């Protein structure tokens, strides 16, 4: 994808002026608007924010204005690695202290490099960056604790099938097995990431640094994506090379890997076509592989040619538009009717018949499209298995299938979509006038109205969908109209909570307009999290602020982990699940250079959202909107429907 | 109407074949056929849709029933009301597409609250169509449990699933 060279407007993208057009408040009227005036009054009354707001050092502006010079031979090992990363269009690097030979070399190649506040968060940020762009990114930590701090982030990326480049330093290999420093056992990084990567190598031979970088990129850019972990002894990163001749097996990118893709077996395509043409209610599950291989347009062609429904799964959504007549994302009651299911790049394939697995009929026949033949028929029997690049397989099927209509199926989907919407609107109506606390349904519905039903173009806003109790409602209303528009933070590994870190990655992706986010470069971003999650990565608000990222972080604050209801009657165990009540995460945001809002009544949510949006557009400053709920909303016995579940796949799914 | 002995000779094998198609697909796992059952009856225990308990499927030709015995543990009122509505809507007068409802010529869907507080989901089978009825009931049970998971997740988390974030 080379979206960076295309006119954003032509893609349905938006200009900066467009960001200001919403809710009838035009750009000219901003300073005088009552909404903004209320916000200013709030600041003045509190008397704190403007006077004590942190300042961003001039160095950040200087960085943006810096002119990079070409890095020429002789090169260090780190510079060799960085040059290859640049050629391979590494999208970004998120890091914390250490591994500076590599980190600085990558930054000096002009690759956006963000120093965050802890390595777990920066690993999550890199993961989310890639999930929303489709472009490989990297995370980095120093040997020892910097490396081990990244493990959760690496595991989450592995679960989500993200092509994440994990970089870590080692000290000199002369210290192996000596415990000479605080950072002991530094040669054991690779065993630590077993089971959570596609490829890994501790690079110890300086002259092979280019060769092993090639290994890494072959794995990152082919087949089923997963993390790649490289660690470098200092002899490698600090080696000096006079020219390419000092390196072994250093042929260039065009020859150490290929971009040509595997095509499907024609017989398999025909078998799939035969099955689909006989089906009454076929459905495509457009999953992770559909996104990374840009199969969205091909899926749309197939769907429209033969009236085949489409539901999304995976770590991001938008490769099939939510408002399409054939979308089943928000029509879960239609899933049970499918008689043929086409899994496209469904890398996280659950076993059949388990709780939390796919909701399809046990009688549905299965077509599975995967680049890896060892995955065909894994966990579920495949009636037709197609080993292929996902886009090419769908294009072949779309080309071969006869046009057809399935009016009854389309009508059933429409009815299911309307029924689901009515159900969700019912929850909103129940709680929109609740006094003294904000229910999750209010956030979900009014955020959706703000993003998709007002003057903001519906394709504009990228959303990081996180949280726990708020997610159960928000996901029912979130929509995606272009690839990567909604990122499913907790996808598959269930890293529920580090959403501000995920949003850092999404924020950079949109700020720089990388990959799938090119058309909305510079637009505000929204992230959702809960009070259980906010603490995991709240310090990355500081990172968002100093890099002037317009991220609106909505925190659903219900004073507890979402697990408290099971212990409600046990005075010994209940406090384990509770926080102090009415904590002010908005004040923490202000102390970190962001804008803060505290919302305690349902009617105040949308005005706060608008103020935060204004700050995002006018100041490129992040916000926390701290929405005060009560933990009892989680309890269906007191406040139906309580803790809502989800159906896999679809917009609510975590696992599939 | 109870089926005849002659019907049992064909209805049971046909229904058994349906059960085993789900075994072959990996949907019913660790299936065991109970040996000591009355004539004209088959009883299967297997793992499906629950991490906690085994599912019990009973084919009773003499009563013309196919039943998931005790499928649901004791339910709070709101869950019971949901289940009642589910069954009602699968009848001929229910809303929704025809293929998701129970054809009256195939049978009648029923709920039976047992002495232990559990609820069975079953079909009264017409004309000995046990194979079709078994397939239909399996689909209905699948739909019911997943529908409960979506709307009453606290209930299904406690009684069916350990997988939840």
């Amino acid at each position: 994808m080379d979206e960076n060279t295309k006119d954003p407007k032509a893609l349905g993208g938006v200009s900066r002026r467009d960001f200001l057009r919403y809710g009838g408040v035009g750009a000219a009227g901003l300073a005088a608007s009552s909404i903004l005036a209320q916000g200013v009054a709030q600041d003045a009354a509190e008397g704190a924010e403007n006077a004590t707001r942190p300042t961003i050092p001039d160095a950040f502006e200087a960085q943006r204005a810096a002119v990079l010079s070409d890095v020429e031979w002789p090169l260090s090992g780190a510079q060799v690695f960085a040059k290859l990363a640049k050629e391979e269009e590494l999208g970004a690097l998120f890091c914390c202290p250490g591994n500076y030979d590599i980190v600085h070399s990558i930054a000096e190649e002009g690759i956006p490099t963000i120093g965050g506040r802890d390595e777990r968060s920066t690993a999550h940020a890199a993961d989310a960056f890639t999930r929303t762009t489709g472009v490989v990114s990297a995370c980095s930590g120093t040997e020892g604790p910097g490396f081990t701090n990244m493990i959760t982030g690496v595991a989450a990326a592995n679960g989500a099938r993200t092509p994440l480049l994990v970089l870590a330093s080692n000290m000199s290999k002369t210290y192996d097995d000596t415990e000479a420093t605080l950072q002991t056992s530094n040669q054991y990084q690779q065993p630590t990431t077993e089971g959570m990567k596609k490829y890994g190598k501790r690079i110890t031979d300086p002259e092979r640094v280019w060769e092993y970088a090639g290994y890494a990129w072959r794995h990152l850019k082919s087949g089923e994506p997963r993390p790649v972990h490289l660690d470098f002894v200092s002899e490698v990163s600090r080696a000096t090379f006079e020219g390419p001749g000092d390196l072994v097996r250093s042929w260039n990118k065009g020859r150490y890997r290929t971009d040509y893709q595997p095509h499907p077996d024609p017989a398999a395509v025909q078998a799939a076509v035969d099955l689909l043409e006989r089906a009454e209610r076929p459905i495509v599950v457009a999953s992770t592989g559909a996104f990374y291989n840009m199969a969205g347009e091909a899926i749309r062609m197939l769907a429209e040619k033969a009236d085949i429904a489409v539901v999304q799964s995976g770590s991001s959504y938008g490769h099939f538009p939510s408002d399409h007549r054939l979308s089943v994302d928000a029509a879960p009651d239609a899933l049970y009717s499918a008689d043929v299911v086409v899994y496209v790049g469904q890398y996280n394939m659950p076993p059949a018949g388990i709780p939390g697995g796919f909701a399809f009929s046990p009688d549905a026949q299965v077509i599975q499209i995967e680049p890896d033949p060892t995955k065909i028929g894994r966990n579920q029997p495949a009636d037709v298995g197609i080993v292929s690049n996902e886009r090419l397989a769908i294009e072949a099927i779309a080309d071969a299938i006869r046009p057809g209509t399935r009016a009854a199926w389309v009508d059933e989907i429409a009815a299911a979509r309307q029924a689901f919407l009515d159900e969700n609107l019912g929850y909103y109506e129940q709680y929109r006038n609740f006094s003294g606390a904000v229910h999750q349904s209010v956030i979900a519905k009014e955020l959706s109205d703000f993003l998709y039903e007002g003057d903001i173009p519906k394709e504009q806003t990228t959303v990081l969908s996180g949280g726990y109790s708020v997610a159960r409602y928000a996901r029912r209303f979130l929509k995606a109209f272009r690839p990567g528009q909604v990122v499913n933070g907790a996808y598959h590994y269930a890293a529920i909570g580090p959403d501000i870190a995920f949003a850092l990655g999404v924020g950079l992706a949109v700020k720089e307009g990388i990959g799938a986010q090119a058309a909305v470069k510079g637009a505000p971003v929204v992230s959702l999290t809960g009070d259980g999650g906010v603490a995991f990565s709240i310090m990355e608000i500081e990172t968002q602020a100093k890099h002037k990222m317009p991220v609106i972080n909505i925190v659903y604050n219900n004073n507890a982990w979402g697990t408290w209801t099971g212990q409600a009657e046990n005075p010994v165990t209940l406090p384990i699940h509770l926080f102090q009540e009415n904590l002010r995460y908005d004040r923490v945001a202000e102390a970190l250079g962001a804008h803060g809002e505290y919302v305690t009544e349902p009617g105040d949510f949308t005005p706060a959202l608008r103020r935060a949006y204004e700050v995002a557009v006018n100041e490129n400053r992040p916000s926390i909107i701290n929405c005060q709920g009560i933990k009892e909303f989680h309890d269906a016995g007191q406040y139906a429907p309580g803790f809502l579940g989800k159906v896999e796949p679809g917009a609510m799914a975590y696992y599939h | 109407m109870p089926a005849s002995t002659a019907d049992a000779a064909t209805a049971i094998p046909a229904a058994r074949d349906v059960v085993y198609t789900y075994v072959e697909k990996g949907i019913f796992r660790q299936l065991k056929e109970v040996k000591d059952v009355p004539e004209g009856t088959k009883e299967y225990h297997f793992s499906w849709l629950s991490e906690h308990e085994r599912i019990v499927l009973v084919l009773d030709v003499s009563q013309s029933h196919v039943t998931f015995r005790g499928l649901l543990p004791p339910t709070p009122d709101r869950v019971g009301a949901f289940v009642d509505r589910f069954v009602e809507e699968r009848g001929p007068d229910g809303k929704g597409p025809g293929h998701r409802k129970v054809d009256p010529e195939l049978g009648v869907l029923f709920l039976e609250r047992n002495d232990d507080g559990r609820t069975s989901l079953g079909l009264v089978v017409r004309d000995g169509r046990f194979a079709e009825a078994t397939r239909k009931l399996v689909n209905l049970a699948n739909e019911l449990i997943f529908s409960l998971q979506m709307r009453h997740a606290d209930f299904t988390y406690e009684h069916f699933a350990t997988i939840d974030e």
Side-chain angles (χ1 to χ4, degrees):
Chain A
M1 181 180 288
D2 187 16
E3 300 296 343
N4 285 312
T5 64
K6 294 186 183 176
D7 175 9
K9 280 289 196 183
L11 294 166
V14 294
S15 68
R16 185 173 178 77
R17 274 201 303 282
D18 292 341
F19 303 157
L20 305 179
R21 293 199 341 255
Y22 70 89
V25 180
L30 275 177
S33 76
S34 61
I35 292 169
L36 192 57
Q38 284 168 30
V40 171
Q42 182 180 345
D43 285 352
E46 292 172 354
E49 185 174 341
N50 290 333
T52 61
R53 186 187 301 177
T55 51
I56 302 173
D58 294 339
F60 284 83
E61 194 53 47
Q63 181 196 46
R64 281 187 276 276
V67 175
L68 299 172
S69 46
D70 289 337
V71 182
E72 302 291 353
W73 302 93
L75 298 173
S76 69
Q79 289 171 323
V80 167
F81 183 81
K83 265 209 176 306
L84 202 42
K86 180 71 173 177
E87 281 188 33
E88 289 283 7
E89 298 176 294
L90 179 70
L93 167 62
F94 296 84
C95 61
C96 269
N99 201 20
Y100 283 130
D101 295 329
I102 297 286
V103 166
H104 290 164
S105 296
I106 286 176
E108 286 168 349
E109 286 288 344
I111 295 168
T113 301
I114 301 291
R117 298 307 297 263
D118 89 278
E119 292 87 351
R120 178 171 56 85
S121 294
T122 50
H124 285 312
D127 179 5
F129 176 97
T130 294
R131 294 191 208 179
T132 200
T133 60
V135 175
V136 175
S137 68
C139 59
S140 172
T142 193
E143 63 268 20
F147 161 68
T148 46
N149 278 349
M150 291 195 288
I151 292 302
T152 302
V154 177
N158 183 63
R161 302 299 196 268
T162 304
L164 174 68
L165 178 59
V166 181
L167 303 170
S169 53
N170 286 207
M171 301 189 76
S172 167
K173 63 185 176 182
T174 60
Y175 289 120
D176 284 2
D177 303 308
T178 66
E179 298 190 355
T181 70
L182 291 172
Q183 294 153 345
T184 61
S185 302
N186 59 64
Q187 70 268 36
Y188 293 122
Q189 289 188 25
Q190 291 298 326
T192 305
T193 54
E194 278 305 311
M196 57 179 82
K197 66 188 173 200
K198 188 175 181 185
Y199 171 76
K201 182 68 182 177
R202 182 187 190 222
I203 305 176
T204 57
D205 297 320
E207 67 273 18
R208 300 183 75 180
V209 63
W210 178 288
E211 178 188 359
Y212 283 119
Y215 268 88
W217 286 104
R218 268 195 300 278
H219 283 285
L220 287 165
K221 289 204 168 180
S222 66
E224 181 177 316
R226 291 172 74 183
V228 166
H229 169 207
L230 298 177
D231 57 313
F232 305 78
V233 298
S234 61
E235 287 88 344
V236 170
S237 53
R238 293 177 185 173
T240 301
F241 303 99
E242 296 300 325
D246 289 345
L247 299 162
V248 301
R249 290 178 282 276
S250 60
W251 44 86
N252 65 25
K253 180 178 86 171
R255 295 165 74 189
Y256 68 62
R257 67 176 189 84
T258 180
D259 283 324
Y260 293 117
Q261 296 292 319
H263 281 244
D265 184 328
V269 170
Q270 190 57 52
V273 167
D274 291 344
L275 208 54
L276 285 167
E277 287 183 347
R278 288 198 301 269
E280 293 182 31
R281 296 173 295 278
I283 191 166
V284 166
V285 179
S287 191
T288 305
F291 170 66
Y292 283 113
N293 292 287
M294 293 179 280
E297 271 312 299
I299 290 171
R300 186 204 287 250
M301 264 177 16
L302 171 63
E304 293 176 351
K305 187 175 181 184
D307 264 1
I308 298 175
V310 181
V311 68
Q312 296 181 88
S313 83
S315 61
S316 69
Y317 295 111
H319 28 289
F320 190 81
S322 298
D323 60 351
H324 197 284
R325 66 185 178 88
L326 292 165
S327 171
V328 184
D329 286 351
D333 282 336
L335 293 173
Y336 312 112
S337 295
D339 54 0
V340 172
V341 181
V342 186
Y343 292 106
V344 183
Q346 180 65 54
Y347 303 143
N348 302 94
M349 181 67 82
I354 61 163
F358 285 122
F360 297 121
S361 161
D363 291 315
Q365 292 182 282
V366 168
I367 299 167
Q368 187 180 356
I369 301 172
E370 255 270 5
D372 180 355
T374 69
K375 300 295 174 62
I376 301 288
R378 180 180 74 99
N379 288 341
Q380 292 200 38
D383 296 282
V384 178
I386 303 179
V387 180
S388 171
N389 169 277
E390 288 90 342
R391 177 177 53 82
L392 296 175
I394 292 294
E395 285 176 354
I397 294 171
D399 193 52
I401 202 167
R402 285 174 293 190
T405 57
R406 295 181 168 90
W409 181 214
V410 175
D411 288 346
E412 181 179 342
I413 292 166
R417 191 182 303 120
Q418 186 61 51
F420 191 59
L421 177 61
D422 291 342
E423 179 182 324
N424 297 327
L425 288 175
Y427 302 142
Y428 173 65
E429 288 302 321
Q430 239 180 301
Y431 291 107
R432 61 188 299 212
N433 294 313
F434 190 92
S435 178
V438 183
H439 190 270
Q440 304 96 302
S441 59
V442 172
I443 297 170
K445 164 71 163 62
E446 294 193 8
L447 177 64
S448 171
D449 287 348
F450 184 80
L451 295 181
Y452 314 127
E453 305 297 333
D455 290 336
I456 299 173
K458 65 184 182 184
E459 302 87 358
Q460 172 185 303
T461 309
T462 305
V463 178
L464 183 285
S465 173
Y468 185 60
S469 40
V470 68
R472 303 334 180 81
Y473 289 82
R475 284 156 184 261
R476 290 163 171 251
F477 283 94
L478 286 175
K479 296 172 189 167
F481 307 96
R482 55 174 173 81
Q485 187 172 2
V486 172
V487 177
N488 186 347
Y491 184 68
H492 207 74
Y493 194 64
I496 301 165
D499 304 308
I500 292 177
F502 288 133
L504 171 65
V506 174
L508 181 70
V510 176
K511 178 172 188 272
E512 300 292 329
I514 304 291
Q517 303 302 320
V520 291
K521 179 176 179 176
V525 165
V526 170
S527 122
L528 284 147
T529 190
D531 57 338
V534 71
F536 285 118
S537 52
I538 194 168
M539 279 306 296
E540 300 307 332
I541 290 288
E542 195 272 327
T543 313
Q544 291 179 9
K546 72 190 178 193
H547 285 285
K548 299 175 82 73
M549 292 185 189
V551 181
I552 301 166
N553 300 274
I554 299 170
V555 179
Y556 184 62
N557 179 3
N558 59 357
N559 307 321
W561 296 108
T563 49
W564 73 274
T565 49
Q567 308 307 314
E569 304 305 319
N570 188 335
V572 175
T573 54
L574 176 60
I576 295 167
H577 303 260
L578 303 182
F579 312 141
Q580 294 180 89
E581 296 180 350
N582 310 323
L583 288 171
R584 296 296 300 270
Y585 303 106
D586 51 298
R587 294 279 175 83
V588 176
E590 290 167 6
L592 295 175
H595 174 72
E597 294 276 350
Y598 186 46
V599 177
T600 57
E601 296 289 342
D604 295 335
F605 174 70
T606 293
L609 182 56
R610 291 187 175 198
R611 286 192 293 272
Y613 191 85
E614 299 277 338
V615 168
V617 169
N618 291 327
E619 302 175 42
N620 277 324
R621 199 152 61 98
S623 300
I624 278 185
I625 304 177
N626 180 11
C627 300
Q628 189 61 65
I630 53 175
K631 65 181 189 296
E632 287 76 10
F633 283 152
H634 215 66
D635 181 355
Q638 296 185 63
Y639 295 104
F643 179 73
L644 283 173
K646 51 186 167 50
V647 174
E648 314 270 349
M652 296 169 286
Y654 275 151
Y655 293 115
H656 313 112
Chain B
M1 173 172 294
S4 66
T5 305
D7 293 333
T10 54
I12 289 287
R16 179 193 177 280
D17 287 347
V18 169
V19 170
Y20 274 87
T21 61
Y22 298 121
V23 173
E24 283 156 16
K25 290 180 82 166
I27 291 167
F28 294 172
R29 300 180 304 282
Q30 294 125 14
L31 183 137
K32 295 280 189 291
E33 184 175 332
V34 177
K35 298 297 181 198
D36 188 19
V37 292
E39 179 141 359
T41 302
K42 286 287 185 191
E43 183 170 322
Y44 301 97
H45 295 197
F46 47 89
S47 295
W48 179 46
L49 292 178
S50 176
E51 299 279 318
H52 300 311
E53 296 168 359
R54 305 266 280 166
I55 302 290
V56 178
L57 177 64
V58 179
L59 311 176
D60 187 341
V61 175
S62 63
Q63 297 296 319
S64 282
H65 285 182
V66 55
T67 307
F68 282 111
R69 192 171 68 210
L71 177 67
L72 299 174
T75 57
D77 289 346
R78 57 187 166 84
V79 175
F82 178 87
V83 175
D84 288 341
R85 265 195 320 274
F86 178 92
V87 170
E88 196 180 305
E89 286 172 2
R90 269 66 191 168
D93 298 326
K95 57 185 182 184
H99 66 90
R100 293 269 289 273
K101 297 190 286 190
V102 179
D103 181 353
E105 293 186 7
L106 174 65
V108 178
L109 190 63
F110 69 85
L111 291 168
E112 186 175 71
R113 262 81 181 191
N114 305 329
D115 292 340
D116 59 2
R118 299 187 71 93
T119 302
S120 300
L121 177 73
L123 268 172
V124 178
V125 183
R126 298 230 156 98
D127 296 329
R129 293 164 67 181
F130 269 84
E132 278 179 76
T134 300
R135 194 179 298 282
K136 186 65 177 177
L137 191 66
V138 166
N139 276 273
L140 287 167
N142 179 75
E143 189 183 332
L144 174 62
I145 301 305
F146 275 104
S147 295
L148 282 170
Q149 180 177 287
M150 188 164 65
R151 295 170 176 93
H152 297 280
D154 55 335
F155 173 76
T156 57
Y157 179 38
E158 182 181 352
H159 296 290
F160 286 82
T162 57
I163 298 174
D164 207 53
E165 72 286 2

